[in-house]
Amino acid sequence: MKLFLTLVVFLSLHLSIFAADYNLVVAKDGSGDFTSVKEAIENLPMYNYERYVIYVKNGVYEERFRIERDYLTIIGESRDSTIIQFSLLRSDWDKNRDYIGTAVANIHADDVVLNNLTIKNTQPAIGPHAFAVYGTGTRTIIINCNLISKGADTVSLWNYKNGMYYHANCYFEGAVDFVCPRGWCYIKDSEFYEVKATAAVWHAATTNPEQKFVIRNSCFDGVKGFQLGRHHYEARFYFVDCSFSMNMADEPIYRVTYPDNPSRNRPYLFGERKYFYNCSREGGNYEWFADNLLKSRPAVMITPAWTFDGRWDPENTDPPKIIGWEANGNTLRLYFNELITVWNKPVLISANGTELEFSRGHGRDILEFTAKNKLHSSELIGTLKVEGGSISANTASVYERVLSDEIVLPAEN
């Protein structure tokens, strides 16, 4: 039962749902292309070189699925009424393993976005491992979602080498370690509910001391005596502007060790790295989460780009940038600073009315457009209008990063 909702200030920014045409529609009533998410995913190209979008209509989908295609977005019609659920204990899957995986949503690809839906492991036991989401990809975005289990490890994104994960405006529920990233993770404007008197969050920074787990402007509640967090490996936690219910135990985030079997203890070379800023608890604060961020790193600097050490900024709003171009015969070649998704079939129209149709470059950082006649550089000077389609960035992002419908080529090509 959610008791702590009033303390959350939800994300006020508009979160994109990639409004370009959907590639596939899933509907329980048969009104779409497929009646299950699994079928839709399996009917994507074997290799995705640009973004595909699957739209899932309202309904309860009793299924599991596995994602192995990069650049995939799955959008639900309604966060609370588009429900993908399945009952599965990790221990049962271990006894009878299949290709799909141990979770309801199994993500083994990069640049995947889940948006506006509920993913639920419906097994009823409180405590045992029961994943709603499991993953080994990187640049995973989950926004506007409910992620629910009564078991442990509800959301387990475990690419310990280079995994980067961004979540916003989500509701997380589960037992011990129910949000437990390995690598880099940034969560904002979300709710956490612990169903057992155990630790809610967990982190592993196994091989890279820069890996960190940041939670901003979020609230924590649960059964009486629930703990905030723990870790077995090296870990680095940041809690900024977070609220805790009076049910949270007076127990700092702790390291799990095994005094009776020291060989099980993980290396611990970097020491305590648990940071707090402007956090509060209903009924009174505990001393262990008093402000301790370094003055050289004020809270305003704790952004997604900082969290991911400049490797990725999921809140970036900049469109792809044309960094060069060349005209050869009747072909214009545009060079971009990143990989591109082409929606429909865009046409470039020059100031003098010359039309250049998109010809090739799906999923590349080089796009080619073709005119009916030989091109002259003078025709391409000035503004080119983009009509009939759009050009956007491939990389997973909170916002649609679409090239303007009026572009100006760089002076030097």
Side-chain angles (χ1 to χ4, degrees):
M1 184 177 187
K2 294 182 277 186
L3 303 174
F4 206 39
L5 298 176
T6 57
L7 297 180
V8 182
V9 179
F10 284 116
L11 195 65
S12 59
L13 298 175
H14 169 67
L15 293 173
S16 166
I17 58 170
F18 297 91
D21 293 342
Y22 307 122
N23 299 97
L24 297 172
V25 175
V26 176
K28 288 286 290 184
D29 62 7
S31 61
D33 301 298
F34 301 95
T35 58
S36 78
V37 178
K38 180 175 177 291
E39 286 180 295
I41 292 171
E42 290 176 348
N43 277 273
L44 292 172
M46 181 171 290
Y47 297 102
N48 277 9
Y49 296 109
E50 57 185 347
R51 185 157 298 280
Y52 277 74
V53 178
I54 296 175
Y55 179 71
V56 186
K57 291 187 176 182
N58 286 343
V60 178
Y61 298 84
E62 195 74 28
E63 61 171 311
R64 293 178 295 141
F65 59 83
R66 181 184 183 94
I67 298 173
E68 292 186 302
R69 279 78 162 180
D70 297 336
Y71 310 121
L72 177 61
T73 296
I74 300 177
I75 304 172
E77 180 180 357
S78 167
R79 170 174 174 162
D80 296 318
S81 298
T82 304
I83 302 169
I84 306 168
Q85 65 180 35
F86 198 85
S87 176
L88 182 65
L89 289 172
R90 180 181 181 179
S91 58
D92 289 340
W93 183 83
D94 283 337
K95 295 173 185 175
N96 188 23
R97 298 191 176 199
D98 63 13
Y99 175 72
I100 298 174
T102 187
V104 180
N106 299 273
I107 303 172
H108 299 277
D110 299 337
D111 295 287
V112 171
V113 178
L114 303 180
N115 190 347
N116 207 43
L117 45 80
T118 293
I119 299 177
K120 185 176 184 180
N121 191 323
T122 55
Q123 72 77 33
I126 294 177
H129 289 99
F131 304 139
V133 177
Y134 173 83
T136 60
T138 190
R139 294 184 301 275
T140 302
I141 291 178
I142 306 176
I143 51 179
N144 306 319
C145 286
N146 303 317
L147 306 154
I148 299 170
S149 174
K150 297 300 180 187
D153 296 14
T154 303
V155 178
S156 299
L157 298 176
W158 285 354
N159 181 338
Y160 71 91
K161 293 181 180 179
N162 54 28
M164 296 180 286
Y165 326 112
Y166 175 97
H167 312 319
N169 196 25
C170 287
Y171 172 74
F172 303 96
E173 180 179 304
V176 61
D177 306 338
F178 64 90
V179 178
C180 51
R182 300 171 189 253
W184 291 264
C185 185
Y186 183 96
I187 299 178
K188 67 187 290 187
D189 303 326
S190 294
E191 299 174 74
F192 296 75
Y193 190 86
E194 171 64 80
V195 301
K196 187 177 180 180
T198 52
V201 297
W202 181 96
H203 183 231
T206 310
T207 60
N208 186 335
E210 296 305 312
Q211 292 174 339
K212 56 189 79 75
F213 185 8
V214 173
I215 303 177
R216 292 200 67 146
N217 194 42
S218 297
C219 72
F220 291 77
D221 193 13
V223 300
K224 187 173 180 59
F226 83 89
Q227 303 155 0
L228 181 57
R230 65 176 194 161
H231 61 102
H232 294 72
Y233 302 84
E234 305 278 7
R236 189 173 170 187
F237 293 92
Y238 291 82
F239 295 84
V240 178
D241 300 324
C242 289
S243 300
F244 311 122
S245 83
M246 63 190 307
N247 287 335
M248 187 176 76
D250 186 5
E251 183 165 356
I253 296 173
Y254 61 95
R255 177 187 173 213
V256 178
T257 59
Y258 303 92
D260 297 333
N261 187 3
S263 64
R264 294 185 62 189
N265 294 336
R266 306 296 185 179
Y268 196 56
L269 306 176
F270 305 118
E272 292 294 287
R273 297 184 299 165
K274 292 127 185 182
Y275 304 104
F276 297 88
Y277 179 79
N278 195 35
C279 293
S280 62
R281 172 183 170 271
E282 182 184 18
N285 294 346
Y286 297 139
E287 184 177 347
W288 52 266
F289 63 79
D291 291 355
N292 66 344
L293 277 181
L294 301 177
K295 292 182 179 180
S296 61
R297 187 177 295 117
V300 69
M301 293 176 58
I302 311 298
T303 64
W306 175 85
T307 300
F308 302 121
D309 299 313
R311 301 170 183 228
W312 178 43
D313 183 3
E315 292 186 354
N316 179 21
T317 60
D318 295 336
K321 183 178 180 181
I322 298 172
I323 57 176
W325 61 278
E326 60 181 343
N328 186 7
N330 66 338
T331 298
L332 170 66
R333 178 174 283 188
L334 300 181
Y335 296 86
F336 289 84
N337 64 333
E338 57 184 308
L339 299 177
I340 295 298
T341 293
V342 178
W343 299 98
N344 298 320
K345 195 165 185 179
V347 176
L348 305 183
I349 302 176
S350 70
N352 69 355
T354 300
E355 295 189 1
L356 301 90
E357 294 185 353
F358 172 74
S359 54
R360 61 179 178 172
H362 286 284
R364 299 284 301 276
D365 56 0
I366 303 171
L367 302 185
E368 288 188 355
F369 293 81
T370 304
K372 291 182 179 179
N373 301 309
K374 184 177 180 179
L375 292 169
H376 300 280
S377 295
S378 58
E379 296 177 87
L380 305 174
I381 301 302
T383 300
L384 296 176
K385 293 185 178 180
V386 183
E387 297 183 357
S390 61
I391 298 167
S392 65
N394 264 6
T395 303
S397 177
V398 175
Y399 304 98
E400 285 191 90
R401 297 173 50 229
V402 181
L403 195 68
S404 170
D405 57 7
E406 291 188 351
I407 61 175
V408 178
L409 300 184
E412 296 181 1
N413 56 13

